[in-house]
Amino acid sequence: MSNVAATAKSLQNSTGTSYKILIIIGLCHLLNDSLQAIIPAMFPILKKSMGLTYTQLGIIGFTLNMVSSVLQPAVGMATDKKPMPYALPFGLTSSMLGVFGLAFAQSFELIVISVIFIGLGSAVFHPEGSRVAYMAAGTRRGLAQSIYQVGGNSGQAMAPLITALVLVPLGQRGAAWFTIVAALAVGLLTYIAFWYAAKLRMNKSLIKKKSKISNVNQKGLSKSVKIALLLVLFLIFARSWYVSGMTNYYTLYTIENYSFSISQAQVFLFVFLVSGAVGTFFGGPLADRFGKKTVIFLSMIISAPLTILVPFAPPAAAICLLALSGFILMSSFSVTVVYAQELVPGKIGTMAGLTVGLAFGMGAVGSMAIGYLADLIGITHTMILTGFLPLLGIITLLLPSDQKINEWNA
């Protein structure tokens, strides 16, 4: 094993799996992503109360996605060089200020500024949160990343509930209640930051050794690793585009084709998102046992027939297909993060930023593309075409095996 990889492995395996830390960071991920979920959930409220146009709503959504996603790889690269434990509570403090501003903003410009604060907090949290999960993993990297990521997916799945239970009855000011959620996250992350800092002090000699080795061996990534990383990102983009299409447009499809109310349509979306969160949890342990490449491949290929059938199914069958496809497709969510981190050892934050942050940003681009397509050919035909995206998972066959990656790092 190379010196860099050996040092990174020693740092990660210096203690056993810390389930307490994993559960806390997973809960913080849930709280952070539920704060992000407030923004799209508020769109109908803001449109009605402030008379915002669809273009303005699109700018708000685009601002959140770009700030929170594009900055993630940059934060990851910076913290790979110099870990910053206390950035976690400071980041969520930024989100708390953004939520407060969102609740009381009286103009479009103030809403955008508030969204930037929320996005900045999220951009800091995700790569550092993934690093905490990595450090607490011990030898169970897949399980650790699953616990961490299931929190985020559960937070995103709360958007329909936030809309129905909080924002519809309370309006824009109802978002102020989520400052309590943010304050709770800040408190928990302060505890995490002390653990993180203590962990770094305990491994100070290993970190110094790793830093010196990294400065001496600046060989860069091999061609094979670069190709594999591009393939992983392509697979993530395909999955993100499908999930984004379902999240943003499937409710419109059900309203048009099933004559559902907005509330009924939200139930279908909620089932898909919650099933995906459950699948995220089980994917990691399965990858620890059967291999990461295997889980990534099967999650996309097995889900493809289900996603293709969804637009053609009657409501009762559709909700079952949504539950199954969400569970299977999202089982590879955390696995791709771990795969990328092992593909490029020593770059934990950077890989987390790329695989989660950049993918989230590409989901936003995909959402815009799918919306444009829906304007051209209609929502029904668009959802039919979107269902074929998981078939791109066949590209997983071109990825190097887990054993091959271990050989590269040897």
Side-chain angles (χ1 to χ4, degrees), residues 55 88 110 161 183 207 242 260 281 286 290 302 327 336 365 388:
T55 299
L88 284 165
L110 287 176
L161 295 180
I207 294 169
Y242 177 76
F260 280 176
F281 175 77
L286 288 172
F290 299 108
I302 294 177
F327 178 91
T336 50
V365 175
F388 285 87

Side-chain angles (χ1 to χ4, degrees), residues 13 54 74 124-125 133 180 207 239 256 267 280 300-301 303 336:
N13 289 338
Y54 285 110
V124 171
F125 173 81
I180 300 174
I207 294 169
R239 187 182 62 213
E256 180 174 309
V267 171
T280 299
M300 297 194 74
I301 294 303
S303 65
T336 50

Side-chain angles (χ1 to χ4, degrees), residues 155-352:
Q156 294 169 21
M158 292 177 68
L161 295 180
I162 292 172
T163 302
L165 300 179
V166 180
L167 298 179
V168 170
L170 299 179
Q172 182 180 347
R173 297 293 173 88
W177 286 100
F178 289 90
T179 57
I180 300 174
V181 173
L184 175 61
V186 171
L188 291 172
L189 287 173
T190 300
Y191 174 83
I192 288 287
F194 281 111
W195 175 87
Y196 185 170
K199 184 85 168 177
L200 291 178
R201 287 193 297 270
M202 184 173 63
N203 295 284
K204 188 175 181 180
S205 61
L206 289 173
I207 294 169
K208 285 183 177 179
K209 181 180 177 183
K210 178 183 173 182
S211 177
K212 290 177 182 178
I213 293 168
S214 298
N215 290 333
V216 173
N217 297 332
Q218 295 292 340
K219 296 180 180 179
L221 302 179
S222 68
K223 182 179 179 181
S224 297
V225 170
K226 288 180 181 177
I227 292 173
L229 186 57
L230 286 174
L231 290 173
V232 170
L233 291 176
F234 181 82
L235 290 167
I236 291 172
F237 293 163
R239 187 182 62 213
S240 297
W241 278 43
Y242 177 76
V243 173
S244 180
M246 295 298 289
T247 302
N248 291 288
Y249 300 105
Y250 187 71
T251 53
L252 299 175
Y253 171 86
T254 59
I255 290 170
E256 180 174 309
N257 287 271
Y258 301 148
S259 299
F260 280 176
S261 65
I262 294 176
S263 298
Q264 289 173 317
Q266 293 292 326
V267 171
F268 279 63
L269 177 59
F270 181 70
V271 167
F272 176 74
L273 294 174
V274 168
S275 299
V278 175
T280 299
F281 175 77
F282 282 98
L286 288 172
D288 285 337
R289 182 169 182 179
F290 299 108
K292 289 170 282 295
K293 178 179 176 179
T294 300
V295 171
I296 294 170
F297 175 72
L298 292 178
S299 74
M300 297 194 74
I301 294 303
I302 294 177
S303 65
L306 304 176
T307 60
I308 291 170
L309 287 173
V310 166
F312 301 99
I319 202 165
C320 295
L321 290 171
L322 286 169
L324 284 172
S325 62
F327 178 91
I328 297 171
L329 182 64
M330 294 303 290
S331 64
S332 63
F333 186 87
S334 61
V335 180
T336 50
V337 179
V338 178
Y339 186 93
Q341 289 175 336
E342 295 189 355
L343 192 62
V344 188
K347 297 294 183 181
I348 303 165
T350 304
M351 291 302 102

Side-chain angles (χ1 to χ4, degrees), residues 5-62:
T7 305
K9 188 175 182 65
S10 297
L11 175 61
Q12 189 245 346
N13 289 338
S14 59
T15 60
T17 305
S18 180
Y19 291 101
K20 179 181 178 180
I21 295 300
L22 289 174
I23 291 171
I24 294 174
I25 197 66
L27 176 59
C28 290
H29 200 179
L30 184 152
L31 298 175
N32 177 83
D33 282 28
S34 67
L35 295 178
Q36 280 189 261
I38 294 172
I39 297 169
M42 284 187 70
F43 281 2
I45 309 298
L46 294 174
K47 191 175 188 306
K48 182 179 179 180
S49 65
M50 299 184 65
L52 299 185
T53 65
Y54 285 110
T55 299
Q56 288 174 315
L57 293 176
I59 291 172
I60 293 170
F62 185 77

